[in-house]
Amino acid sequence: MLSKNQIKLITSLQQKKYRKQHQLFFAEGVKVIQELLNSNFELEHIFTTADDFQNVLKNKISFISEAELKKVSALTTPNTCLALFKIPAERSVVEKGLIVALDDIRDPGNLGTIVRLCDWFGVTQLVCSMETVDVYNPKVVQATMGSITRVAVAYDDIAKFLGETKLPVFGTYMDGASIYKTQLPKEGILVMGNEANGISAEIEKLTPNRLSIPRFGDLQQTESLNVATATAIILSEFKRLG
């Protein structure tokens, strides 16, 4: 059974300030929770309606009703379980290999999908601007489908980071060189911009290598691609050519 204090704590974790205060976040669903359990993330507690986690210590599991789960779930249709995990210490960025940097990504689904894409294409480091949505937002965690355990996400002053790096920096623009005609390196930083406004003027000055994904449609009327879709295309080319 869920106590009033537990309900209050879990629901508060939908807000960033309380996640920071308690140093906790939550995940929902057997697949995501199992991925987190198999990683270095430290489990605080599992609340579940089914006996899906036989290898977890009994004092770390509470069986609850579907009605109770619905009270604390961030999903429209709750899964069978919700688990609290401790937020780990942020790891320093190592300037090696291909790194993705996000300039003010606001949509949780986009960030979660980009984390999954990094995992898929073997990008182990993701650097986010301070304005980018929190990676421990429940919707982001859900969208990563467990990839959050394999991609190190850091938040930093992107301008400072790009200004000091020795790696080549690439940005995505409508007027950039075609991604399909550009020789791409194995190491570098790929900057992806805000959903509505793209890369900010400040960051644009720090991205000397301008890339674009050409449009092939006859009408050429589509204004832009979704940022996660664009990230998938560009990472695919980096890995194919790098």
Side-chain angles (χ1 to χ4, degrees), residues 175-218:
D175 63 349
S178 170
I179 187 73
Y180 303 119
K181 297 179 180 178
T182 303
Q183 184 62 46
L184 301 170
K186 290 184 178 181
E187 292 194 321
I189 299 171
L190 170 63
V191 182
M192 303 301 296
N194 174 267
E195 291 89 346
N197 304 311
I199 293 172
S200 63
E202 180 187 18
I203 302 304
E204 183 176 358
K205 296 173 185 175
L206 300 167
T207 55
N209 302 292
R210 300 170 69 92
L211 298 174
S212 71
I213 301 170
R215 291 178 292 189
F216 293 96
D218 292 335

Side-chain angles (χ1 to χ4, degrees), residues 8 17 30 46-47 74 91 104 108 110 121 124 127 147 167 169-170 195 200 205 216 238 241:
K8 184 179 179 180
K17 65 178 180 179
V30 175
I46 293 177
F47 301 92
R91 284 186 278 172
D104 194 18
N110 282 336
F121 287 106
T124 59
V127 183
S147 289
L167 293 175
V169 180
F170 296 82
E195 291 89 346
S200 63
K205 296 173 185 175
F216 293 96
F238 261 98
L241 299 172

Side-chain angles (χ1 to χ4, degrees), residues 88-155:
E90 191 172 281
R91 284 186 278 172
S92 299
V93 179
V94 179
E95 294 192 27
K96 184 178 179 182
L98 183 60
I99 299 170
V100 173
L102 302 182
D103 180 19
D104 194 18
I105 298 299
R106 296 299 180 97
D107 183 83
N110 282 336
L111 177 56
T113 301
I114 289 170
V115 172
R116 285 186 73 188
L117 287 167
C118 286
D119 187 20
W120 182 269
F121 287 106
V123 175
T124 59
Q125 298 184 99
L126 178 63
V127 183
C128 300
S129 68
M130 302 307 292
E131 297 76 26
T132 293
V133 62
D134 181 24
V135 72
Y136 296 110
N137 177 306
K139 292 180 181 178
V140 177
V141 174
Q142 203 66 27
T144 71
M145 292 300 290
S147 289
I148 192 174
T149 64
R150 292 178 290 275
V151 178
V153 181
Y155 285 77

Side-chain angles (χ1 to χ4, degrees), residues 25-43 45-46 52-53 56 75 79-85 112 115-116 119 135-150:
F25 72 98
F26 69 79
E28 298 189 65
V30 175
K31 179 183 178 356
V32 179
I33 292 173
Q34 196 60 61
E35 290 263 24
L36 287 160
L37 290 173
N38 293 339
S39 72
N40 292 326
F41 280 82
E42 186 178 346
L43 174 67
H45 206 83
I46 293 177
D52 292 318
F53 304 98
V56 174
L75 302 174
N79 213 300
T80 59
C81 48
L82 179 151
L84 300 181
F85 287 89
V115 172
R116 285 186 73 188
D119 187 20
V135 72
Y136 296 110
N137 177 306
K139 292 180 181 178
V140 177
V141 174
Q142 203 66 27
T144 71
M145 292 300 290
S147 289
I148 192 174
T149 64
R150 292 178 290 275

